mmCIF file of all heavy atoms in Angstrom:
data_model
loop_
_atom_site.group_PDB
_atom_site.id
_atom_site.type_symbol
_atom_site.label_atom_id
_atom_site.label_comp_id
_atom_site.label_asym_id
_atom_site.label_seq_id
_atom_site.Cartn_x
_atom_site.Cartn_y
_atom_site.Cartn_z
ATOM 1 N N PHE A 210 106.464 103.184 96.319
ATOM 2 C CA PHE A 210 106.384 103.306 97.803
ATOM 3 C C PHE A 210 107.601 102.618 98.481
ATOM 4 O O PHE A 210 108.264 101.872 97.849
ATOM 5 C CB PHE A 210 105.192 102.367 98.354
ATOM 6 C CG PHE A 210 103.887 102.996 97.957
ATOM 7 C CD1 PHE A 210 103.256 102.349 96.915
ATOM 8 C CD2 PHE A 210 103.270 103.993 98.604
ATOM 9 C CE1 PHE A 210 101.962 102.906 96.492
ATOM 10 C CE2 PHE A 210 102.117 104.599 98.193
ATOM 11 C CZ PHE A 210 101.451 103.936 97.147
ATOM 12 N N ALA A 211 108.108 103.353 99.469
ATOM 13 C CA ALA A 211 109.303 102.927 100.182
ATOM 14 C C ALA A 211 108.869 102.402 101.507
ATOM 15 O O ALA A 211 107.782 102.582 101.983
ATOM 16 C CB ALA A 211 110.259 104.070 100.241
ATOM 17 N N LEU A 212 109.737 101.652 102.278
ATOM 18 C CA LEU A 212 109.528 101.296 103.502
ATOM 19 C C LEU A 212 110.029 102.433 104.502
ATOM 20 O O LEU A 212 111.258 102.621 104.731
ATOM 21 C CB LEU A 212 110.264 100.039 103.991
ATOM 22 C CG LEU A 212 109.931 98.735 103.108
ATOM 23 C CD1 LEU A 212 110.736 97.611 103.493
ATOM 24 C CD2 LEU A 212 108.379 98.461 103.452
ATOM 25 N N PRO A 213 109.185 103.195 105.007
ATOM 26 C CA PRO A 213 109.542 104.555 105.684
ATOM 27 C C PRO A 213 110.206 104.257 107.020
ATOM 28 O O PRO A 213 110.989 105.208 107.458
ATOM 29 C CB PRO A 213 108.186 105.148 105.865
ATOM 30 C CG PRO A 213 107.095 104.083 105.900
ATOM 31 C CD PRO A 213 107.723 103.018 104.980
ATOM 32 N N PHE A 214 110.113 103.129 107.510
ATOM 33 C CA PHE A 214 110.736 102.855 108.810
ATOM 34 C C PHE A 214 112.202 102.397 108.760
ATOM 35 O O PHE A 214 112.728 102.290 109.828
ATOM 36 C CB PHE A 214 109.849 101.874 109.645
ATOM 37 C CG PHE A 214 109.613 100.676 108.830
ATOM 38 C CD1 PHE A 214 110.438 99.701 108.873
ATOM 39 C CD2 PHE A 214 108.373 100.498 108.149
ATOM 40 C CE1 PHE A 214 110.265 98.495 108.137
ATOM 41 C CE2 PHE A 214 108.148 99.415 107.428
ATOM 42 C CZ PHE A 214 109.056 98.368 107.480
ATOM 43 N N LEU A 215 112.636 102.043 107.609
ATOM 44 C CA LEU A 215 113.889 101.346 107.455
ATOM 45 C C LEU A 215 115.096 102.196 108.083
ATOM 46 O O LEU A 215 115.848 101.637 108.894
ATOM 47 C CB LEU A 215 114.202 101.151 105.977
ATOM 48 C CG LEU A 215 115.674 100.584 105.767
ATOM 49 C CD1 LEU A 215 115.669 99.125 106.253
ATOM 50 C CD2 LEU A 215 115.894 100.467 104.114
ATOM 51 N N ASP A 216 115.074 103.433 107.823
ATOM 52 C CA ASP A 216 116.229 104.184 108.483
ATOM 53 C C ASP A 216 116.057 104.312 109.893
ATOM 54 O O ASP A 216 117.192 104.367 110.589
ATOM 55 C CB ASP A 216 116.301 105.671 107.849
ATOM 56 C CG ASP A 216 116.461 105.587 106.295
ATOM 57 O OD1 ASP A 216 117.314 104.974 105.844
ATOM 58 O OD2 ASP A 216 115.568 105.985 105.554
ATOM 59 N N SER A 217 114.934 104.298 110.468
ATOM 60 C CA SER A 217 114.878 104.457 111.978
ATOM 61 C C SER A 217 115.276 103.204 112.639
ATOM 62 O O SER A 217 115.583 103.126 113.738
ATOM 63 C CB SER A 217 113.359 104.983 112.377
ATOM 64 O OG SER A 217 112.478 103.892 112.122
ATOM 65 N N ILE A 218 115.198 102.018 111.883
ATOM 66 C CA ILE A 218 115.607 100.833 112.479
ATOM 67 C C ILE A 218 117.147 100.656 112.507
ATOM 68 O O ILE A 218 117.663 100.225 113.291
ATOM 69 C CB ILE A 218 114.925 99.664 111.679
ATOM 70 C CG1 ILE A 218 113.426 99.625 111.887
ATOM 71 C CG2 ILE A 218 115.590 98.330 112.074
ATOM 72 C CD1 ILE A 218 112.664 98.763 111.062
ATOM 73 N N LEU A 219 117.712 101.216 111.289
ATOM 74 C CA LEU A 219 119.142 100.959 111.204
ATOM 75 C C LEU A 219 119.995 102.124 111.657
ATOM 76 O O LEU A 219 120.200 103.071 110.739
ATOM 77 C CB LEU A 219 119.424 100.602 109.760
ATOM 78 C CG LEU A 219 118.728 99.238 109.221
ATOM 79 C CD1 LEU A 219 118.906 99.070 107.761
ATOM 80 C CD2 LEU A 219 119.246 98.089 110.014
ATOM 81 N N PHE A 220 120.398 102.284 112.700
ATOM 82 C CA PHE A 220 121.432 103.234 113.133
ATOM 83 C C PHE A 220 121.034 104.768 112.638
ATOM 84 O O PHE A 220 121.853 105.443 111.925
ATOM 85 C CB PHE A 220 122.812 102.952 112.616
ATOM 86 C CG PHE A 220 123.299 101.593 113.069
ATOM 87 C CD1 PHE A 220 123.528 100.567 112.042
ATOM 88 C CD2 PHE A 220 123.524 101.239 114.346
ATOM 89 C CE1 PHE A 220 123.753 99.306 112.421
ATOM 90 C CE2 PHE A 220 123.874 100.005 114.779
ATOM 91 C CZ PHE A 220 124.081 99.049 113.799
ATOM 92 N N VAL A 221 119.976 105.163 113.065
ATOM 93 C CA VAL A 221 119.503 106.608 112.582
ATOM 94 C C VAL A 221 120.580 107.527 113.133
ATOM 95 O O VAL A 221 120.594 108.620 112.397
ATOM 96 C CB VAL A 221 118.111 106.833 113.114
ATOM 97 C CG1 VAL A 221 118.076 107.062 114.639
ATOM 98 C CG2 VAL A 221 117.551 108.111 112.435
ATOM 99 N N GLU A 222 121.254 107.360 114.137
ATOM 100 C CA GLU A 222 122.240 108.410 114.509
ATOM 101 C C GLU A 222 123.237 108.611 113.424
ATOM 102 O O GLU A 222 123.831 109.811 113.459
ATOM 103 C CB GLU A 222 123.006 107.759 115.815
ATOM 104 C CG GLU A 222 122.168 107.755 117.023
ATOM 105 C CD GLU A 222 121.236 106.539 117.051
ATOM 106 O OE1 GLU A 222 121.736 105.613 116.443
ATOM 107 O OE2 GLU A 222 120.172 106.479 117.627
ATOM 108 N N ALA A 223 123.528 107.800 112.528
ATOM 109 C CA ALA A 223 124.379 108.057 111.472
ATOM 110 C C ALA A 223 124.059 109.309 110.690
ATOM 111 O O ALA A 223 124.769 110.080 110.127
ATOM 112 C CB ALA A 223 124.531 106.917 110.605
ATOM 113 N N TYR A 224 122.644 109.557 110.504
ATOM 114 C CA TYR A 224 122.240 110.697 109.834
ATOM 115 C C TYR A 224 122.485 111.974 110.555
ATOM 116 O O TYR A 224 122.473 113.021 110.016
ATOM 117 C CB TYR A 224 120.762 110.637 109.498
ATOM 118 C CG TYR A 224 120.422 109.780 108.410
ATOM 119 C CD1 TYR A 224 120.000 108.411 108.579
ATOM 120 C CD2 TYR A 224 120.551 110.176 107.061
ATOM 121 C CE1 TYR A 224 119.749 107.696 107.425
ATOM 122 C CE2 TYR A 224 120.232 109.440 106.013
ATOM 123 C CZ TYR A 224 119.923 108.196 106.138
ATOM 124 O OH TYR A 224 119.642 107.300 105.216
ATOM 125 N N TYR A 225 122.823 111.879 111.840
ATOM 126 C CA TYR A 225 122.969 112.994 112.604
ATOM 127 C C TYR A 225 124.424 113.307 112.999
ATOM 128 O O TYR A 225 124.707 114.107 113.848
ATOM 129 C CB TYR A 225 122.063 113.027 113.850
ATOM 130 C CG TYR A 225 120.590 112.986 113.541
ATOM 131 C CD1 TYR A 225 119.857 111.815 113.431
ATOM 132 C CD2 TYR A 225 119.925 114.238 113.066
ATOM 133 C CE1 TYR A 225 118.580 111.781 113.056
ATOM 134 C CE2 TYR A 225 118.628 114.224 112.755
ATOM 135 C CZ TYR A 225 118.008 112.992 112.663
ATOM 136 O OH TYR A 225 116.690 112.935 112.209
ATOM 137 N N GLU A 226 125.346 112.526 112.490
ATOM 138 C CA GLU A 226 126.647 112.670 112.776
ATOM 139 C C GLU A 226 127.104 114.068 112.605
ATOM 140 O O GLU A 226 126.955 114.699 111.494
ATOM 141 C CB GLU A 226 127.589 111.750 111.861
ATOM 142 C CG GLU A 226 128.946 111.472 112.286
ATOM 143 C CD GLU A 226 129.608 110.526 111.398
ATOM 144 O OE1 GLU A 226 129.035 109.449 111.067
ATOM 145 O OE2 GLU A 226 130.714 110.715 111.112
ATOM 146 N N GLY A 227 127.584 114.751 113.645
ATOM 147 C CA GLY A 227 128.074 116.137 113.593
ATOM 148 C C GLY A 227 126.965 117.120 113.698
ATOM 149 O O GLY A 227 127.220 118.308 114.042
ATOM 150 N N ALA A 228 125.728 116.678 113.535
ATOM 151 C CA ALA A 228 124.589 117.657 113.622
ATOM 152 C C ALA A 228 123.830 117.487 114.910
ATOM 153 O O ALA A 228 123.169 118.365 115.241
ATOM 154 C CB ALA A 228 123.657 117.419 112.533
ATOM 155 N N LEU A 229 124.022 116.407 115.762
ATOM 156 C CA LEU A 229 123.293 116.180 116.963
ATOM 157 C C LEU A 229 124.257 115.642 117.892
ATOM 158 O O LEU A 229 124.571 114.477 117.723
ATOM 159 C CB LEU A 229 122.098 115.306 116.655
ATOM 160 C CG LEU A 229 121.063 115.072 117.757
ATOM 161 C CD1 LEU A 229 120.365 116.460 118.114
ATOM 162 C CD2 LEU A 229 120.080 114.014 117.420
ATOM 163 N N ALA A 230 124.641 116.338 118.910
ATOM 164 C CA ALA A 230 125.645 115.767 119.865
ATOM 165 C C ALA A 230 125.042 114.690 120.735
ATOM 166 O O ALA A 230 125.626 113.759 120.896
ATOM 167 C CB ALA A 230 126.072 117.064 120.744
ATOM 168 N N GLU A 231 123.835 114.873 121.279
ATOM 169 C CA GLU A 231 123.216 113.878 122.101
ATOM 170 C C GLU A 231 121.769 113.504 121.569
ATOM 171 O O GLU A 231 121.288 114.400 121.090
ATOM 172 C CB GLU A 231 123.218 114.415 123.507
ATOM 173 C CG GLU A 231 124.413 114.725 124.226
ATOM 174 C CD GLU A 231 125.238 113.370 124.357
ATOM 175 O OE1 GLU A 231 124.698 112.329 124.794
ATOM 176 O OE2 GLU A 231 126.497 113.398 124.277
ATOM 177 N N PRO A 232 121.472 112.238 121.626
ATOM 178 C CA PRO A 232 120.103 111.896 121.234
ATOM 179 C C PRO A 232 119.102 112.574 122.240
ATOM 180 O O PRO A 232 119.475 112.834 123.369
ATOM 181 C CB PRO A 232 120.077 110.421 121.401
ATOM 182 C CG PRO A 232 121.167 109.976 122.271
ATOM 183 C CD PRO A 232 122.185 111.060 122.152
#
Side-chain angles (χ1 to χ4, degrees):
F210 299 98
L212 296 176
F214 52 82
L215 179 64
D216 300 304
S217 67
I218 293 172
L219 301 172
F220 306 112
V221 71
E222 290 79 24
Y224 279 100
Y225 297 99
E226 194 173 317
L229 187 67
E231 295 293 325

